[in-house]
Amino acid sequence: MNGRKNIAIVGGGLVGCLMGLYLARRGNKISIFERRPDPRIHAVDAGRSINLALSNRGIKSLEEVGLGNIVRETAIPMNGRMVHDLAGNLTFLPYGKQGQFINSISRGDLNKTLVWAAEKEGIEFFFDHRCIRTDLASSSLSFQTDTITTDQQFDAIVGADGAFSNVRMAMQLTDRFNYEQHYIEHGYKEFHIPAGTSKVLERNALHIWPRESFMLIALPNPDGSFTGTLFFPFEGASSFKSLADPVNFESFFRKSFPDVGDLITDLQEQLKMNPVSSLITIRCFPWSMHNTLLLGDASHAIVPFYGQGMNAGFEDCRILNGLLNKHNDDWGLAIAEFQLFRKPDTDAISHLAMDNFIEMRDLVADKDFQLRKKIESKIHSLYPDQWVPLYSMVTFHEDIRYSEAYRVGQKQKKIMDEVMKIPDIATTWQLLDLQTVLRQIKED
């Protein structure tokens, strides 16, 4: 299917809008359907949007559509993790070399920017349109509004409608479609930490309060405030269920996070108002049937602990656009290659996201873990082309596939496990024979 196409994108969130921009610039007629109201008019519900971490993969995609500089204007650089222990002591763990950082951005503001850009490109938006049926064979969709139900047919459909995708549901009802989903035992609740807390919370850092079975993180906002997110078990001795009473929860919160609890003056009110949300991982395949394609969370939803969900979705858009260039806008050839190429990478970042949850929750406050990171940082500084830490590969090297980063990261882990077993490593690590360590990474 070549030439100008009439394409429907179901889902007007971040990935849907970006894919729309790419496809519109290829000369296609794009219509974006979104079940929610226009985000430029109606604010996102409080407590339902984890702050986003924009890294190199996402920035590269935004730059390709001319939005890189616009987004940077409101982004806040975060140079590393600031770890808070129970006594209020701080430990700073840089994300990479000097000058390397990730960006804290507002999901709502980024969505508005993408909607404005898409409209300028001639894309037509249909807000308050809930997709209720997808006919894969005819590439037709049914939408429900407050008053009517409409049916429309298209040349192609892109399902960018999130983890609970209606478009994907149509694929799930077909033969030989593989699908799995997994909820982790933790949910999350957000808290607004007001501005004026710079003496406690460094602005250019991602703050983390690791407490083994649970954790709190906080990301900076442009107005000087922070968005805090508590990741906490749904059930158990210390859980959302056992601490359902706001008074008991506040007492627990202030005891667990003493240096931030006093900063939130309306803690009980936020406990009552902000919902508890779940975290899901979704894997499926194939991502395309007939002329319908799944993108972003609709095909590979992941937990947020590597900060790569949005970045992976944006990378989807960039890679697909590159394949459309390669195949001269032959939709069938491009999406067939896209799903086979991309699937190993999204599986890899899914694994890495869960691994990073354990790291953030259980390990970042551990002295051995901090030493391990120091040793890796030294190796990288002396031999930057031969040893790139896993986090740097994922976050700062957009030319390295997620699957390759995962493969190399597993090899590095085995090597570092052995290094950390060396007697008195805490006092002798600066004397390590790093050439021997590097030889191991080259071995198969």
Side-chain angles (χ1 to χ4, degrees):
M1 184 172 58
N2 301 76
R4 175 181 168 86
K5 292 177 280 292
N6 180 16
I7 301 176
I9 297 179
V10 182
L14 304 177
V15 173
C17 288
L18 181 62
M19 194 69 249
L21 277 167
Y22 273 115
L23 293 173
R25 292 182 178 186
R26 306 192 71 85
N28 300 295
K29 180 182 184 299
I30 306 298
S31 303
I32 296 181
F33 298 87
E34 170 57 49
R35 64 178 178 82
R36 296 167 298 183
D38 190 333
R40 298 166 296 181
I41 301 171
H42 300 272
V44 176
D45 292 340
R48 286 195 178 273
S49 176
I50 297 173
N51 266 37
L52 299 173
L54 177 65
S55 60
N56 287 21
R57 294 175 194 271
I59 289 172
K60 184 173 183 178
S61 302
L62 291 170
E63 286 177 338
E64 284 195 351
V65 297
L67 296 178
N69 289 335
I70 294 173
V71 171
R72 284 191 186 95
E73 289 177 2
T74 57
I76 301 173
M78 298 184 294
N79 301 307
R81 299 167 176 165
M82 187 69 77
V83 182
H84 299 243
D85 69 12
L86 265 173
N89 299 311
L90 303 179
T91 302
F92 182 71
L93 303 176
Y95 280 132
K97 297 183 295 187
Q98 187 172 2
Q100 290 183 324
F101 54 85
I102 60 176
N103 301 275
S104 175
I105 60 169
S106 160
R107 178 192 296 271
D109 289 346
L110 179 56
N111 204 167
K112 293 174 190 176
T113 297
L114 285 164
V115 171
W116 282 119
E119 281 195 338
K120 288 180 182 177
E121 205 65 40
I123 294 172
E124 190 171 8
F125 280 85
F126 298 86
F127 294 104
D128 296 303
H129 277 62
R130 181 184 294 274
C131 179
I132 58 173
R133 185 186 65 86
T134 303
D135 189 316
L136 300 169
S138 65
S139 299
S140 62
L141 296 162
S142 297
F143 298 98
Q144 186 173 32
T145 66
D146 288 339
T147 55
I148 59 171
T149 298
T150 59
D151 300 304
Q152 297 187 51
Q153 188 170 16
F154 302 90
D155 296 322
I157 297 168
V158 174
D161 48 341
F164 303 100
S165 167
N166 183 280
V167 178
R168 188 191 64 237
M169 182 63 69
M171 294 187 181
Q172 289 174 231
L173 299 176
T174 63
D175 189 32
R176 295 169 57 201
F177 182 81
N178 295 305
Y179 172 79
E180 61 177 300
Q181 68 177 43
H182 173 70
Y183 286 95
I184 67 171
E185 64 182 14
H186 290 67
Y188 71 91
K189 182 186 282 283
E190 290 197 339
F191 299 91
H192 179 74
I193 304 171
T197 60
S198 58
K199 291 183 179 180
V200 177
L201 301 180
E202 159 63 38
R203 186 172 187 263
N204 295 111
L206 185 152
H207 294 263
I208 177 170
W209 291 258
R211 299 296 183 260
E212 295 188 354
S213 64
F214 58 95
M215 69 175 180
L216 176 72
I217 67 171
L219 277 71
N221 297 313
D223 65 358
S225 68
F226 285 77
T227 299
T229 307
L230 174 65
F231 297 96
F232 202 52
F234 277 105
E235 298 177 341
S238 295
S239 64
F240 285 121
K241 183 177 181 180
S242 66
L243 296 169
D245 178 73
V247 175
N248 293 338
F249 203 111
E250 180 177 23
S251 175
F252 172 84
F253 190 95
R254 295 189 186 283
K255 181 180 178 181
S256 301
F257 315 111
D259 57 343
V260 71
D262 291 339
L263 303 177
I264 308 175
T265 56
D266 60 342
L267 185 57
Q268 280 197 40
E269 182 179 343
Q270 292 197 46
L271 287 167
K272 294 175 184 176
M273 293 294 294
N274 295 349
V276 176
S277 300
S278 58
L279 295 163
I280 191 172
T281 295
I282 286 174
R283 297 187 184 95
C284 66
F285 201 76
W287 294 350
S288 69
M289 289 187 181
H290 300 285
N291 292 315
T292 296
L293 172 69
L294 302 174
L295 279 183
D297 284 355
S299 53
H300 52 78
I302 62 175
V303 292
F305 304 115
Y306 225 112
Q308 286 296 307
M310 170 190 63
N311 293 287
F314 282 0
E315 192 171 63
D316 282 353
C317 301
R318 179 175 61 81
I319 289 172
L320 178 57
N321 186 65
L323 290 171
L324 286 167
N325 287 335
K326 174 182 175 181
H327 294 293
N328 297 313
D329 286 291
D330 188 307
W331 180 264
L333 289 177
I335 62 176
E337 182 173 346
F338 170 76
Q339 63 179 355
L340 291 174
F341 175 86
R342 191 69 176 141
K343 173 67 170 165
D345 293 325
T346 58
D347 284 348
I349 193 59
S350 179
H351 287 298
L352 288 168
M354 276 307 304
D355 290 347
N356 212 46
F357 179 36
I358 297 169
E359 177 176 309
M360 294 173 72
R361 186 190 69 194
D362 300 351
L363 299 178
V364 292
D366 181 78
K367 296 301 181 185
D368 285 344
F369 176 82
Q370 293 172 11
L371 174 61
R372 185 184 187 115
K373 291 300 179 185
K374 281 184 181 179
I375 296 172
E376 284 199 79
S377 179
K378 181 181 178 181
I379 300 173
H380 179 50
S381 66
L382 294 175
Y383 306 97
D385 296 329
Q386 299 176 61
W387 184 290
V388 181
L390 174 60
Y391 190 90
S392 293
M393 284 190 284
V394 170
T395 307
F396 304 123
H397 292 263
E398 65 276 11
D399 54 323
I400 298 177
R401 295 178 61 179
Y402 287 131
S403 54
E404 176 64 8
Y406 182 76
R407 184 191 68 80
V408 174
Q410 291 296 104
K411 182 180 288 189
Q412 290 176 341
K413 180 180 182 301
K414 290 179 181 178
I415 294 170
M416 288 305 301
D417 285 346
E418 294 303 312
V419 168
M420 295 305 293
K421 293 176 183 177
I422 296 174
D424 301 318
I425 186 64
T427 56
T428 64
W429 68 273
Q430 302 240 31
L431 304 175
L432 275 174
D433 180 358
L434 298 182
Q435 288 290 344
T436 299
V437 174
L438 287 171
R439 277 196 296 272
Q440 294 179 67
I441 200 71
K442 294 178 182 179
E443 297 172 359
D444 291 329

